[in-house]
Amino acid sequence: MNKDQFLCPNDGTPMRRDLRPVTLTYKGENLTFDLAGWYCDKCGESVHVGRDLKDSDRMLNRLKARTDGLLSPEEIRRIRRRLGLSQAEAGELVGGGPRAFQKYEAGDLLPSRAISSALTLLNRDPGGLEILKTTRTRLGRAS
Ligand SMILES: [Zn+2]
């Protein structure tokens, strides 16, 4: 027995695993992508399980980042690597905490405008990183 089989909630037809285009809308901006899910060939109903919803959440974050002028997961990763920082170091120096960059780069968490702005500035002038390190050290000593 296939426990992953879904029956259509409307008409009881066995649903089929497929990729179909969906369009997300945010502040009047649209993003269309292929979303995996269980689809009913009879009425077009769809059911989305955990990882489908995660994919959908990531695409929504991508649309929000694009619409609001925040950095994309790929840009964040590229800038962090250019700065020679591990994900944990970036979370410590730039902000967000040790696990933040892992989530930004996976697309699971939208960066704040402050994080996005700081990275944009550091990308333009990587020397700014030394200022952050110095500040960090000074704060470390003071506490
Ligand atoms: Zn149906």
Side-chain angles (χ1 to χ4, degrees):
M1 186 182 141
N2 183 2
K3 67 181 170 61
D4 284 336
Q5 182 69 58
F6 287 90
L7 298 180
C8 176
N10 296 332
D11 49 40
T13 304
M15 300 180 95
R16 200 156 56 86
R17 188 84 183 147
D18 200 6
L19 278 174
R20 294 195 188 168
V22 297
T23 298
L24 299 174
T25 302
Y26 174 73
K27 293 184 181 172
E29 294 289 320
N30 296 321
L31 178 67
T32 300
F33 63 101
D34 288 329
L35 180 62
W38 293 92
Y39 293 88
C40 174
D41 286 331
K42 196 166 171 188
C43 74
E45 179 69 84
S46 63
V47 172
H48 300 282
V49 294
R51 68 192 145 100
D52 307 333
L53 296 172
K54 192 165 193 173
D55 286 346
S56 180
D57 287 347
R58 286 178 172 174
M59 292 312 277
L60 181 59
N61 277 341
R62 187 173 289 276
L63 173 62
K64 284 181 175 176
R66 194 179 73 191
T67 304
D68 290 343
L70 302 171
L71 296 174
S72 70
E74 293 77 18
E75 288 169 323
I76 291 172
R77 181 183 301 265
R78 186 177 51 75
I79 293 170
R80 174 181 62 76
R81 286 185 171 162
R82 181 169 179 233
L83 296 170
L85 297 173
S86 68
Q87 290 179 330
E89 288 166 341
E92 188 70 20
L93 278 172
V94 182
R99 305 250 309 154
F101 275 72
Q102 192 182 321
K103 292 175 186 168
Y104 299 147
E105 293 175 21
D108 289 336
L109 183 65
L110 198 62
S112 66
R113 179 158 299 283
I115 295 286
S116 205
S117 299
L119 287 172
T120 300
L121 292 174
L122 287 170
N123 186 44
R124 180 66 65 85
D125 178 16
L129 197 59
E130 292 310 312
I131 297 169
L132 288 185
K133 284 179 180 169
T134 308
T135 311
R136 192 79 206 158
T137 308
R138 220 170 28 230
L139 288 172
R141 272 197 218 109
S143 64

mmCIF file of all heavy atoms in Angstrom, residues 42-89:
data_model
loop_
_atom_site.group_PDB
_atom_site.id
_atom_site.type_symbol
_atom_site.label_atom_id
_atom_site.label_comp_id
_atom_site.label_asym_id
_atom_site.label_seq_id
_atom_site.Cartn_x
_atom_site.Cartn_y
_atom_site.Cartn_z
ATOM 1 N N LYS A 42 -9.207 15.231 -12.763
ATOM 2 C CA LYS A 42 -10.621 15.438 -13.058
ATOM 3 C C LYS A 42 -11.038 16.895 -12.815
ATOM 4 O O LYS A 42 -11.664 17.509 -13.664
ATOM 5 C CB LYS A 42 -11.457 14.487 -12.199
ATOM 6 C CG LYS A 42 -12.892 14.315 -12.651
ATOM 7 C CD LYS A 42 -13.504 13.105 -11.931
ATOM 8 C CE LYS A 42 -15.000 13.016 -12.184
ATOM 9 N NZ LYS A 42 -15.618 11.976 -11.340
ATOM 10 N N CYS A 43 -10.677 17.443 -11.622
ATOM 11 C CA CYS A 43 -11.162 18.790 -11.293
ATOM 12 C C CYS A 43 -10.049 19.821 -11.107
ATOM 13 O O CYS A 43 -10.328 21.002 -10.926
ATOM 14 C CB CYS A 43 -12.050 18.740 -10.048
ATOM 15 S SG CYS A 43 -11.124 18.512 -8.526
ATOM 16 N N GLY A 44 -8.781 19.373 -11.118
ATOM 17 C CA GLY A 44 -7.687 20.334 -10.994
ATOM 18 C C GLY A 44 -7.297 20.671 -9.569
ATOM 19 O O GLY A 44 -6.406 21.487 -9.341
ATOM 20 N N GLU A 45 -7.959 20.035 -8.603
ATOM 21 C CA GLU A 45 -7.621 20.251 -7.187
ATOM 22 C C GLU A 45 -6.172 19.818 -6.936
ATOM 23 O O GLU A 45 -5.659 18.917 -7.608
ATOM 24 C CB GLU A 45 -8.579 19.415 -6.320
ATOM 25 C CG GLU A 45 -8.338 19.507 -4.816
ATOM 26 C CD GLU A 45 -8.673 20.866 -4.238
ATOM 27 O OE1 GLU A 45 -9.849 21.122 -3.928
ATOM 28 O OE2 GLU A 45 -7.741 21.689 -4.131
ATOM 29 N N SER A 46 -5.492 20.474 -5.978
ATOM 30 C CA SER A 46 -4.135 20.048 -5.649
ATOM 31 C C SER A 46 -3.966 19.941 -4.141
ATOM 32 O O SER A 46 -4.621 20.652 -3.382
ATOM 33 C CB SER A 46 -3.119 21.022 -6.235
ATOM 34 O OG SER A 46 -3.275 22.301 -5.665
ATOM 35 N N VAL A 47 -3.083 19.024 -3.733
ATOM 36 C CA VAL A 47 -2.730 18.852 -2.326
ATOM 37 C C VAL A 47 -1.214 18.920 -2.232
ATOM 38 O O VAL A 47 -0.508 18.275 -3.007
ATOM 39 C CB VAL A 47 -3.229 17.476 -1.799
ATOM 40 C CG1 VAL A 47 -2.688 17.218 -0.392
ATOM 41 C CG2 VAL A 47 -4.762 17.422 -1.793
ATOM 42 N N HIS A 48 -0.731 19.754 -1.309
ATOM 43 C CA HIS A 48 0.716 19.913 -1.167
ATOM 44 C C HIS A 48 1.158 19.450 0.214
ATOM 45 O O HIS A 48 0.578 19.848 1.214
ATOM 46 C CB HIS A 48 1.112 21.366 -1.418
ATOM 47 C CG HIS A 48 0.742 21.823 -2.797
ATOM 48 N ND1 HIS A 48 1.478 21.482 -3.901
ATOM 49 C CD2 HIS A 48 -0.326 22.515 -3.242
ATOM 50 C CE1 HIS A 48 0.883 21.986 -4.979
ATOM 51 N NE2 HIS A 48 -0.217 22.608 -4.605
ATOM 52 N N VAL A 49 2.200 18.612 0.233
ATOM 53 C CA VAL A 49 2.710 18.081 1.493
ATOM 54 C C VAL A 49 3.938 18.877 1.921
ATOM 55 O O VAL A 49 4.359 19.807 1.229
ATOM 56 C CB VAL A 49 3.027 16.573 1.354
ATOM 57 C CG1 VAL A 49 1.737 15.788 1.128
ATOM 58 C CG2 VAL A 49 4.000 16.314 0.227
ATOM 59 N N GLY A 50 4.507 18.501 3.074
ATOM 60 C CA GLY A 50 5.596 19.256 3.702
ATOM 61 C C GLY A 50 6.643 19.879 2.805
ATOM 62 O O GLY A 50 6.819 21.085 2.795
ATOM 63 N N ARG A 51 7.345 19.043 2.028
ATOM 64 C CA ARG A 51 8.461 19.614 1.251
ATOM 65 C C ARG A 51 7.954 20.483 0.101
ATOM 66 O O ARG A 51 8.644 21.399 -0.345
ATOM 67 C CB ARG A 51 9.416 18.525 0.774
ATOM 68 C CG ARG A 51 8.862 17.578 -0.266
ATOM 69 C CD ARG A 51 9.794 16.375 -0.430
ATOM 70 N NE ARG A 51 9.042 15.169 -0.698
ATOM 71 C CZ ARG A 51 8.877 14.642 -1.922
ATOM 72 N NH1 ARG A 51 9.423 15.222 -2.958
ATOM 73 N NH2 ARG A 51 8.173 13.555 -2.094
ATOM 74 N N ASP A 52 6.728 20.217 -0.396
ATOM 75 C CA ASP A 52 6.148 21.090 -1.428
ATOM 76 C C ASP A 52 5.928 22.484 -0.836
ATOM 77 O O ASP A 52 6.192 23.503 -1.483
ATOM 78 C CB ASP A 52 4.789 20.574 -1.905
ATOM 79 C CG ASP A 52 4.828 19.111 -2.357
ATOM 80 O OD1 ASP A 52 5.911 18.670 -2.775
ATOM 81 O OD2 ASP A 52 3.783 18.448 -2.283
ATOM 82 N N LEU A 53 5.429 22.490 0.412
ATOM 83 C CA LEU A 53 5.138 23.773 1.063
ATOM 84 C C LEU A 53 6.428 24.529 1.361
ATOM 85 O O LEU A 53 6.484 25.751 1.276
ATOM 86 C CB LEU A 53 4.334 23.542 2.347
ATOM 87 C CG LEU A 53 2.949 22.922 2.104
ATOM 88 C CD1 LEU A 53 2.286 22.544 3.415
ATOM 89 C CD2 LEU A 53 2.058 23.874 1.313
ATOM 90 N N LYS A 54 7.485 23.767 1.685
ATOM 91 C CA LYS A 54 8.781 24.400 1.944
ATOM 92 C C LYS A 54 9.288 25.069 0.663
ATOM 93 O O LYS A 54 9.793 26.187 0.699
ATOM 94 C CB LYS A 54 9.772 23.350 2.447
ATOM 95 C CG LYS A 54 11.036 23.943 3.011
ATOM 96 C CD LYS A 54 11.820 22.917 3.815
ATOM 97 C CE LYS A 54 12.908 23.618 4.623
ATOM 98 N NZ LYS A 54 13.602 22.735 5.537
ATOM 99 N N ASP A 55 9.153 24.364 -0.459
ATOM 100 C CA ASP A 55 9.547 24.940 -1.748
ATOM 101 C C ASP A 55 8.752 26.213 -2.031
ATOM 102 O O ASP A 55 9.295 27.210 -2.501
ATOM 103 C CB ASP A 55 9.277 23.951 -2.891
ATOM 104 C CG ASP A 55 10.288 22.813 -2.923
ATOM 105 O OD1 ASP A 55 11.330 22.939 -2.244
ATOM 106 O OD2 ASP A 55 10.028 21.821 -3.619
ATOM 107 N N SER A 56 7.459 26.140 -1.730
ATOM 108 C CA SER A 56 6.597 27.288 -1.971
ATOM 109 C C SER A 56 7.000 28.470 -1.074
ATOM 110 O O SER A 56 7.063 29.615 -1.532
ATOM 111 C CB SER A 56 5.137 26.881 -1.705
ATOM 112 O OG SER A 56 4.281 27.957 -1.915
ATOM 113 N N ASP A 57 7.315 28.179 0.199
ATOM 114 C CA ASP A 57 7.756 29.234 1.122
ATOM 115 C C ASP A 57 9.051 29.889 0.638
ATOM 116 O O ASP A 57 9.234 31.103 0.730
ATOM 117 C CB ASP A 57 7.998 28.656 2.521
ATOM 118 C CG ASP A 57 6.697 28.326 3.237
ATOM 119 O OD1 ASP A 57 5.629 28.771 2.763
ATOM 120 O OD2 ASP A 57 6.746 27.614 4.253
ATOM 121 N N ARG A 58 9.956 29.046 0.106
ATOM 122 C CA ARG A 58 11.229 29.583 -0.395
ATOM 123 C C ARG A 58 11.002 30.491 -1.603
ATOM 124 O O ARG A 58 11.657 31.527 -1.732
ATOM 125 C CB ARG A 58 12.173 28.438 -0.769
ATOM 126 C CG ARG A 58 12.756 27.742 0.435
ATOM 127 C CD ARG A 58 13.633 26.585 0.056
ATOM 128 N NE ARG A 58 14.322 26.072 1.251
ATOM 129 C CZ ARG A 58 15.074 24.983 1.269
ATOM 130 N NH1 ARG A 58 15.264 24.306 0.158
ATOM 131 N NH2 ARG A 58 15.658 24.591 2.382
ATOM 132 N N MET A 59 10.078 30.093 -2.467
ATOM 133 C CA MET A 59 9.796 30.928 -3.631
ATOM 134 C C MET A 59 9.140 32.239 -3.208
ATOM 135 O O MET A 59 9.405 33.288 -3.797
ATOM 136 C CB MET A 59 8.907 30.179 -4.636
ATOM 137 C CG MET A 59 9.600 29.001 -5.324
ATOM 138 S SD MET A 59 11.242 29.356 -5.999
ATOM 139 C CE MET A 59 10.800 30.089 -7.557
ATOM 140 N N LEU A 60 8.297 32.174 -2.175
ATOM 141 C CA LEU A 60 7.673 33.404 -1.679
ATOM 142 C C LEU A 60 8.734 34.339 -1.099
ATOM 143 O O LEU A 60 8.706 35.549 -1.340
ATOM 144 C CB LEU A 60 6.599 33.081 -0.628
ATOM 145 C CG LEU A 60 5.866 34.287 -0.059
ATOM 146 C CD1 LEU A 60 5.149 35.083 -1.158
ATOM 147 C CD2 LEU A 60 4.860 33.871 1.022
ATOM 148 N N ASN A 61 9.701 33.784 -0.358
ATOM 149 C CA ASN A 61 10.790 34.607 0.166
ATOM 150 C C ASN A 61 11.581 35.247 -0.970
ATOM 151 O O ASN A 61 12.002 36.395 -0.894
ATOM 152 C CB ASN A 61 11.744 33.763 1.031
ATOM 153 C CG ASN A 61 11.236 33.608 2.452
ATOM 154 O OD1 ASN A 61 10.392 34.383 2.906
ATOM 155 N ND2 ASN A 61 11.737 32.615 3.150
ATOM 156 N N ARG A 62 11.782 34.468 -2.032
ATOM 157 C CA ARG A 62 12.523 34.970 -3.197
ATOM 158 C C ARG A 62 11.770 36.142 -3.845
ATOM 159 O O ARG A 62 12.368 37.164 -4.191
ATOM 160 C CB ARG A 62 12.681 33.813 -4.192
ATOM 161 C CG ARG A 62 13.562 34.088 -5.373
ATOM 162 C CD ARG A 62 13.767 32.819 -6.155
ATOM 163 N NE ARG A 62 14.630 31.877 -5.441
ATOM 164 C CZ ARG A 62 15.962 31.926 -5.482
ATOM 165 N NH1 ARG A 62 16.570 32.832 -6.218
ATOM 166 N NH2 ARG A 62 16.691 31.066 -4.807
ATOM 167 N N LEU A 63 10.456 35.981 -3.963
ATOM 168 C CA LEU A 63 9.630 37.044 -4.545
ATOM 169 C C LEU A 63 9.654 38.290 -3.656
ATOM 170 O O LEU A 63 9.778 39.420 -4.139
ATOM 171 C CB LEU A 63 8.189 36.540 -4.722
ATOM 172 C CG LEU A 63 7.144 37.559 -5.159
ATOM 173 C CD1 LEU A 63 7.484 38.144 -6.530
ATOM 174 C CD2 LEU A 63 5.749 36.923 -5.201
ATOM 175 N N LYS A 64 9.559 38.077 -2.329
ATOM 176 C CA LYS A 64 9.584 39.215 -1.398
ATOM 177 C C LYS A 64 10.926 39.951 -1.478
ATOM 178 O O LYS A 64 10.973 41.175 -1.490
ATOM 179 C CB LYS A 64 9.362 38.730 0.036
ATOM 180 C CG LYS A 64 7.927 38.367 0.345
ATOM 181 C CD LYS A 64 7.817 37.915 1.803
ATOM 182 C CE LYS A 64 6.364 37.652 2.172
ATOM 183 N NZ LYS A 64 6.252 37.115 3.548
ATOM 184 N N ALA A 65 12.023 39.174 -1.522
ATOM 185 C CA ALA A 65 13.356 39.785 -1.597
ATOM 186 C C ALA A 65 13.470 40.632 -2.861
ATOM 187 O O ALA A 65 13.943 41.771 -2.818
ATOM 188 C CB ALA A 65 14.434 38.700 -1.578
ATOM 189 N N ARG A 66 13.002 40.069 -3.972
ATOM 190 C CA ARG A 66 13.099 40.777 -5.252
ATOM 191 C C ARG A 66 12.240 42.045 -5.226
ATOM 192 O O ARG A 66 12.681 43.116 -5.624
ATOM 193 C CB ARG A 66 12.643 39.840 -6.367
ATOM 194 C CG ARG A 66 12.987 40.304 -7.757
ATOM 195 C CD ARG A 66 12.521 39.309 -8.788
ATOM 196 N NE ARG A 66 11.074 39.353 -8.930
ATOM 197 C CZ ARG A 66 10.352 38.450 -9.605
ATOM 198 N NH1 ARG A 66 10.945 37.415 -10.150
ATOM 199 N NH2 ARG A 66 9.056 38.570 -9.710
ATOM 200 N N THR A 67 11.008 41.917 -4.710
ATOM 201 C CA THR A 67 10.076 43.045 -4.695
ATOM 202 C C THR A 67 10.555 44.144 -3.743
ATOM 203 O O THR A 67 10.444 45.330 -4.045
ATOM 204 C CB THR A 67 8.677 42.554 -4.271
ATOM 205 O OG1 THR A 67 8.277 41.506 -5.143
ATOM 206 C CG2 THR A 67 7.658 43.677 -4.342
ATOM 207 N N ASP A 68 11.081 43.741 -2.581
ATOM 208 C CA ASP A 68 11.481 44.719 -1.565
ATOM 209 C C ASP A 68 12.935 45.168 -1.709
ATOM 210 O O ASP A 68 13.440 45.926 -0.884
ATOM 211 C CB ASP A 68 11.258 44.136 -0.165
ATOM 212 C CG ASP A 68 9.773 43.995 0.159
ATOM 213 O OD1 ASP A 68 8.957 44.632 -0.528
ATOM 214 O OD2 ASP A 68 9.437 43.252 1.099
ATOM 215 N N GLY A 69 13.636 44.685 -2.744
ATOM 216 C CA GLY A 69 15.016 45.106 -2.974
ATOM 217 C C GLY A 69 15.994 44.537 -1.959
ATOM 218 O O GLY A 69 16.989 45.179 -1.625
ATOM 219 N N LEU A 70 15.705 43.331 -1.448
ATOM 220 C CA LEU A 70 16.633 42.660 -0.530
ATOM 221 C C LEU A 70 17.486 41.678 -1.324
ATOM 222 O O LEU A 70 17.137 41.303 -2.438
ATOM 223 C CB LEU A 70 15.850 41.906 0.550
ATOM 224 C CG LEU A 70 14.897 42.759 1.389
ATOM 225 C CD1 LEU A 70 14.017 41.879 2.264
ATOM 226 C CD2 LEU A 70 15.663 43.764 2.234
ATOM 227 N N LEU A 71 18.604 41.257 -0.748
ATOM 228 C CA LEU A 71 19.498 40.338 -1.447
ATOM 229 C C LEU A 71 18.874 38.940 -1.564
ATOM 230 O O LEU A 71 18.178 38.488 -0.663
ATOM 231 C CB LEU A 71 20.826 40.228 -0.691
ATOM 232 C CG LEU A 71 21.665 41.507 -0.608
ATOM 233 C CD1 LEU A 71 22.872 41.267 0.291
ATOM 234 C CD2 LEU A 71 22.108 41.962 -1.988
ATOM 235 N N SER A 72 19.163 38.268 -2.668
ATOM 236 C CA SER A 72 18.688 36.894 -2.875
ATOM 237 C C SER A 72 19.619 35.938 -2.122
ATOM 238 O O SER A 72 20.746 36.307 -1.758
ATOM 239 C CB SER A 72 18.703 36.559 -4.361
ATOM 240 O OG SER A 72 20.040 36.461 -4.804
ATOM 241 N N PRO A 73 19.179 34.695 -1.912
ATOM 242 C CA PRO A 73 20.049 33.703 -1.263
ATOM 243 C C PRO A 73 21.406 33.563 -1.965
ATOM 244 O O PRO A 73 22.443 33.476 -1.301
ATOM 245 C CB PRO A 73 19.239 32.404 -1.370
ATOM 246 C CG PRO A 73 17.815 32.852 -1.400
ATOM 247 C CD PRO A 73 17.832 34.154 -2.165
ATOM 248 N N GLU A 74 21.410 33.577 -3.303
ATOM 249 C CA GLU A 74 22.665 33.419 -4.056
ATOM 250 C C GLU A 74 23.584 34.620 -3.849
ATOM 251 O O GLU A 74 24.797 34.470 -3.745
ATOM 252 C CB GLU A 74 22.389 33.261 -5.555
ATOM 253 C CG GLU A 74 21.670 31.985 -5.937
ATOM 254 C CD GLU A 74 20.171 32.012 -5.636
ATOM 255 O OE1 GLU A 74 19.615 33.112 -5.447
ATOM 256 O OE2 GLU A 74 19.566 30.933 -5.567
ATOM 257 N N GLU A 75 22.995 35.828 -3.822
ATOM 258 C CA GLU A 75 23.819 37.025 -3.618
ATOM 259 C C GLU A 75 24.443 37.013 -2.221
ATOM 260 O O GLU A 75 25.606 37.390 -2.044
ATOM 261 C CB GLU A 75 22.953 38.282 -3.805
ATOM 262 C CG GLU A 75 22.577 38.527 -5.256
ATOM 263 C CD GLU A 75 21.503 39.605 -5.422
ATOM 264 O OE1 GLU A 75 20.578 39.683 -4.571
ATOM 265 O OE2 GLU A 75 21.573 40.351 -6.397
ATOM 266 N N ILE A 76 23.642 36.593 -1.239
ATOM 267 C CA ILE A 76 24.149 36.536 0.134
ATOM 268 C C ILE A 76 25.323 35.571 0.222
ATOM 269 O O ILE A 76 26.376 35.885 0.787
ATOM 270 C CB ILE A 76 23.020 36.134 1.110
ATOM 271 C CG1 ILE A 76 22.001 37.269 1.206
ATOM 272 C CG2 ILE A 76 23.590 35.789 2.491
ATOM 273 C CD1 ILE A 76 20.751 36.937 1.991
ATOM 274 N N ARG A 77 25.166 34.388 -0.397
ATOM 275 C CA ARG A 77 26.246 33.401 -0.378
ATOM 276 C C ARG A 77 27.503 33.929 -1.086
ATOM 277 O O ARG A 77 28.623 33.795 -0.591
ATOM 278 C CB ARG A 77 25.788 32.104 -1.054
ATOM 279 C CG ARG A 77 26.861 31.004 -1.064
ATOM 280 C CD ARG A 77 26.372 29.772 -1.805
ATOM 281 N NE ARG A 77 25.166 29.247 -1.188
ATOM 282 C CZ ARG A 77 25.161 28.260 -0.280
ATOM 283 N NH1 ARG A 77 26.285 27.701 0.102
ATOM 284 N NH2 ARG A 77 24.023 27.840 0.239
ATOM 285 N N ARG A 78 27.287 34.566 -2.236
ATOM 286 C CA ARG A 78 28.423 35.072 -3.020
ATOM 287 C C ARG A 78 29.189 36.138 -2.226
ATOM 288 O O ARG A 78 30.421 36.121 -2.160
ATOM 289 C CB ARG A 78 27.908 35.661 -4.343
ATOM 290 C CG ARG A 78 28.989 36.098 -5.305
ATOM 291 C CD ARG A 78 28.402 36.614 -6.620
ATOM 292 N NE ARG A 78 27.372 37.631 -6.445
ATOM 293 C CZ ARG A 78 27.614 38.899 -6.103
ATOM 294 N NH1 ARG A 78 28.847 39.304 -5.912
ATOM 295 N NH2 ARG A 78 26.620 39.753 -5.957
ATOM 296 N N ILE A 79 28.449 37.064 -1.607
ATOM 297 C CA ILE A 79 29.099 38.138 -0.844
ATOM 298 C C ILE A 79 29.826 37.565 0.372
ATOM 299 O O ILE A 79 30.973 37.920 0.650
ATOM 300 C CB ILE A 79 28.062 39.212 -0.421
ATOM 301 C CG1 ILE A 79 27.524 39.935 -1.653
ATOM 302 C CG2 ILE A 79 28.695 40.197 0.560
ATOM 303 C CD1 ILE A 79 26.335 40.846 -1.377
ATOM 304 N N ARG A 80 29.173 36.644 1.079
ATOM 305 C CA ARG A 80 29.809 36.054 2.273
ATOM 306 C C ARG A 80 31.124 35.371 1.888
ATOM 307 O O ARG A 80 32.148 35.532 2.560
ATOM 308 C CB ARG A 80 28.864 35.043 2.925
ATOM 309 C CG ARG A 80 29.521 34.293 4.093
ATOM 310 C CD ARG A 80 28.597 33.281 4.721
ATOM 311 N NE ARG A 80 28.179 32.225 3.814
ATOM 312 C CZ ARG A 80 28.946 31.189 3.441
ATOM 313 N NH1 ARG A 80 30.167 31.076 3.878
ATOM 314 N NH2 ARG A 80 28.470 30.268 2.610
ATOM 315 N N ARG A 81 31.087 34.612 0.794
ATOM 316 C CA ARG A 81 32.304 33.907 0.363
ATOM 317 C C ARG A 81 33.387 34.894 -0.057
ATOM 318 O O ARG A 81 34.567 34.689 0.225
ATOM 319 C CB ARG A 81 31.982 32.953 -0.786
ATOM 320 C CG ARG A 81 31.227 31.732 -0.298
ATOM 321 C CD ARG A 81 31.027 30.754 -1.417
ATOM 322 N NE ARG A 81 30.483 29.492 -0.909
ATOM 323 C CZ ARG A 81 29.891 28.583 -1.668
ATOM 324 N NH1 ARG A 81 29.780 28.777 -2.965
ATOM 325 N NH2 ARG A 81 29.423 27.471 -1.149
ATOM 326 N N ARG A 82 32.948 35.947 -0.732
ATOM 327 C CA ARG A 82 33.903 36.964 -1.180
ATOM 328 C C ARG A 82 34.604 37.582 0.030
ATOM 329 O O ARG A 82 35.780 37.953 -0.029
ATOM 330 C CB ARG A 82 33.145 38.035 -1.969
ATOM 331 C CG ARG A 82 34.039 39.121 -2.497
ATOM 332 C CD ARG A 82 33.325 40.022 -3.490
ATOM 333 N NE ARG A 82 34.258 41.043 -3.912
ATOM 334 C CZ ARG A 82 34.017 42.343 -3.864
ATOM 335 N NH1 ARG A 82 32.841 42.790 -3.474
ATOM 336 N NH2 ARG A 82 34.936 43.205 -4.223
ATOM 337 N N LEU A 83 33.860 37.698 1.147
ATOM 338 C CA LEU A 83 34.420 38.272 2.365
ATOM 339 C C LEU A 83 35.264 37.254 3.134
ATOM 340 O O LEU A 83 35.900 37.599 4.130
ATOM 341 C CB LEU A 83 33.292 38.798 3.263
ATOM 342 C CG LEU A 83 32.473 39.964 2.685
ATOM 343 C CD1 LEU A 83 31.253 40.229 3.558
ATOM 344 C CD2 LEU A 83 33.326 41.219 2.537
ATOM 345 N N GLY A 84 35.240 36.000 2.678
ATOM 346 C CA GLY A 84 36.035 34.962 3.317
ATOM 347 C C GLY A 84 35.503 34.537 4.673
ATOM 348 O O GLY A 84 36.274 34.155 5.560
ATOM 349 N N LEU A 85 34.199 34.617 4.847
ATOM 350 C CA LEU A 85 33.594 34.274 6.136
ATOM 351 C C LEU A 85 32.838 32.954 6.050
ATOM 352 O O LEU A 85 32.222 32.650 5.029
ATOM 353 C CB LEU A 85 32.593 35.364 6.554
ATOM 354 C CG LEU A 85 33.133 36.767 6.796
ATOM 355 C CD1 LEU A 85 31.963 37.719 7.034
ATOM 356 C CD2 LEU A 85 34.091 36.790 7.975
ATOM 357 N N SER A 86 32.870 32.195 7.136
ATOM 358 C CA SER A 86 31.990 31.028 7.242
ATOM 359 C C SER A 86 30.589 31.558 7.548
ATOM 360 O O SER A 86 30.423 32.729 7.901
ATOM 361 C CB SER A 86 32.456 30.104 8.372
ATOM 362 O OG SER A 86 32.262 30.745 9.622
ATOM 363 N N GLN A 87 29.605 30.691 7.428
ATOM 364 C CA GLN A 87 28.242 31.123 7.742
ATOM 365 C C GLN A 87 28.145 31.578 9.199
ATOM 366 O O GLN A 87 27.508 32.587 9.501
ATOM 367 C CB GLN A 87 27.255 29.977 7.476
ATOM 368 C CG GLN A 87 27.095 29.688 5.984
ATOM 369 C CD GLN A 87 26.135 28.547 5.705
ATOM 370 O OE1 GLN A 87 26.012 27.640 6.501
ATOM 371 N NE2 GLN A 87 25.454 28.597 4.572
ATOM 372 N N ALA A 88 28.789 30.834 10.094
ATOM 373 C CA ALA A 88 28.737 31.183 11.522
ATOM 374 C C ALA A 88 29.424 32.530 11.779
ATOM 375 O O ALA A 88 28.907 33.370 12.525
ATOM 376 C CB ALA A 88 29.377 30.085 12.354
ATOM 377 N N GLU A 89 30.596 32.743 11.125
ATOM 378 C CA GLU A 89 31.314 34.012 11.307
ATOM 379 C C GLU A 89 30.490 35.193 10.787
ATOM 380 O O GLU A 89 30.438 36.255 11.409
ATOM 381 C CB GLU A 89 32.658 33.967 10.562
ATOM 382 C CG GLU A 89 33.696 33.076 11.211
ATOM 383 C CD GLU A 89 34.883 32.790 10.298
ATOM 384 O OE1 GLU A 89 34.766 32.963 9.043
ATOM 385 O OE2 GLU A 89 35.922 32.378 10.823
#
